[in-house]
Structure formats: C-alpha cells, structure tokens
Amino acid sequence: MPAPPAKLFITGASSGIGQALADYYAAQGAQLGLCARRSEPLQQLAARWPGQVHCYPLDVTDAAALRAAGEDFMANRGVPDIVIANAGISMGTLSEHAEDLDAIRRIMDTNFFGMAATFSPFIGPMRRAGRGRLVGIASVAGIRGLPGSEAYSASKAAVIAYLESLRVELRASGVKVVTLSPGYISTPMTAVNPFPMPFLMSAEAAAPRFARAIAKGCSYVVVPWQMGVLARLLRLLPNAVYDRLMVAAPRKPRQAAAE
C-alpha cells in the first residue's frame, strides 16, 4: 500500500521560506495546517492546493490561538508528522533608542516565544505517538551578534539554544528536533537589506534542501552550506578580531519589522 500523505503544521506560511515549504510539501500531496497573521495569502495557498490546506490566521505570540489551531488540526488530520516553526520578524534595533524597546520585545516574542508556543500543543501527542519532527527556523545571525541587529541576533541565538535543549529532552522519545539555520534567503525580510548578501538563494531553491534535512532528522543544518562555513569561521575568531572586522559592517535599517 502507498504511504499516506504527510501531515504538516507550518507557521509564517504567508510568504518567504514558510510559503515555499508549504508549496513544496503540498506538491508531494501533503495535508497542511498553515498559520500566518495575513489571511489572504493563506487563502491563496488553499486555492492553489484544494482540499490539502487548513488555514489558521493568527499571531504566533498568541499561545491560546496556536493551541486552538493545533488541536483543531489534530482533530481533523491527526498528529502531524512535521511541525515547522518558521514565523519570524526582523528589523534593525538599537537599545540606546527608547522607542526601539517595543520592537526588541516584539522580535523576541515572535521569534523565540512564538516557536515554543508553536511546538507546545504537539509535543505531548508526538511523544505518545513516538514519532515526528519538530523543526525550528533559526539563522546564521544567531551564531554571533551582528551590529545593529541586537534583537534579531539575540532571538536567533535563543532559538538555537532552545532547540538544542529540546532535542536532548526528546532524544529517547522518537521525536526528532531539527534546527535549520538559513543564510541569506530571498524573502520580504531580506529585501530591505541595503547591502550585498553573499550566497543569496531563493526560497524556492532552499525549500527542497530544507526538506531533505528534515527527512533525515538532521540536528543542525545551514543553507546554503557556504554560509555555514563562513559562520563557523566567524565563531572561531577571537573577540578582538571579530570586533575589528564587524565594526564597519553594514546595518539593517531601523524600520517597521519585516516578516
């Protein structure tokens, strides 16, 4: 008998990496629960893949709404095979500006707390099923702090540590925890960057690479791989050398947060 179609729950599915992953898995026949703050792009995905998409317009900082969405998806489709916590926002922030503090909190709430809130409804059912993948979208920006991106770098560093803790916690359960750290992927979030982005890759090209890593249950993967090499080199640099290199690095502009 052919294997039943995969079941996935994805946040931040209205654009960028989330949308590319939704299209990739839908093309394989998957059943999808898709979350985003904007309803219209979700409805467009549902129209593109009729009968395969359940839409949940919500903000991932609303843990109660996420739990309700997760429970609804499981009631209709069963325990998902893969949960991808992709929702995230980014903007340049500087702590010296009091008006940036709200943005710093919002970035941390969305990128870090939103990931924990996404996984929370599914961990118990996945444990009991003894299978599944919890996938968190981190970033190479979480490996070392980038100037002008205090909140974004901090949120992604928190995500990397959180996923590592969760991976160890669930090691014997049959549930795999996968950390995906994108480099520069062409999305609305990177479109505002006023500087060259090395090894820039389209979200559509990145999606199958992410999917292969998820299928293998890899603990940590950087896409594209060249950014992984660069990030490792930066991690090894002494602070004094790193500081001298980065002090003049271009900054993401302070602006409304981009998803």
Side-chain angles (χ1 to χ4, degrees), residues 68-255:
E71 290 174 351
D72 179 80
F73 182 77
M74 287 187 285
N76 284 282
R77 296 299 179 189
V79 178
D81 303 291
I82 302 169
V83 177
I84 304 177
N86 166 74
I89 58 175
S90 174
M91 66 178 291
T93 52
L94 294 171
S95 302
E96 66 189 271
H97 298 282
E99 61 270 25
D100 283 11
L101 294 178
D102 284 342
I104 290 170
R105 176 175 288 169
R106 182 179 164 212
I107 289 168
M108 291 297 295
D109 282 351
T110 301
N111 297 1
F112 170 56
F113 175 77
M115 183 174 290
T118 297
F119 291 156
S120 180
F122 300 107
I123 293 174
M126 282 181 155
R127 268 189 187 274
R128 289 189 288 275
R131 59 171 179 81
R133 303 280 193 272
L134 296 171
V135 182
I137 305 298
S139 170
V140 295
I143 295 172
R144 293 210 75 160
L146 300 178
S149 294
E150 300 158 354
Y152 187 70
S153 287
S155 72
K156 293 302 185 178
V159 159
I160 290 169
Y162 164 73
L163 291 167
E164 186 166 61
S165 296
L166 190 60
R167 185 179 75 240
V168 176
E169 180 68 25
L170 295 176
R171 179 176 174 81
S173 70
V175 180
K176 300 283 189 181
V177 177
V178 179
T179 302
L180 300 178
S181 281
Y184 288 115
I185 307 296
S186 182
T187 68
M189 187 182 293
T190 57
V192 300
N193 291 345
F195 49 80
M197 291 173 279
F199 313 115
L200 181 67
M201 176 182 287
S202 72
E204 292 72 24
R209 302 186 188 199
F210 288 142
R212 285 195 293 272
I214 293 168
K216 292 177 182 176
C218 297
S219 61
Y220 183 90
V221 172
V222 176
V223 174
W225 66 265
Q226 295 95 329
M227 282 301 295
V229 174
L230 180 58
R232 284 178 181 272
L233 292 174
L234 290 176
R235 181 72 270 175
L236 293 172
L237 287 177
N239 288 348
V241 177
Y242 179 78
D243 294 353
R244 284 198 297 272
L245 284 175
M246 298 302 292
V247 68
R251 269 77 161 164
K252 183 182 286 286
R254 294 172 61 232
Q255 59 184 5

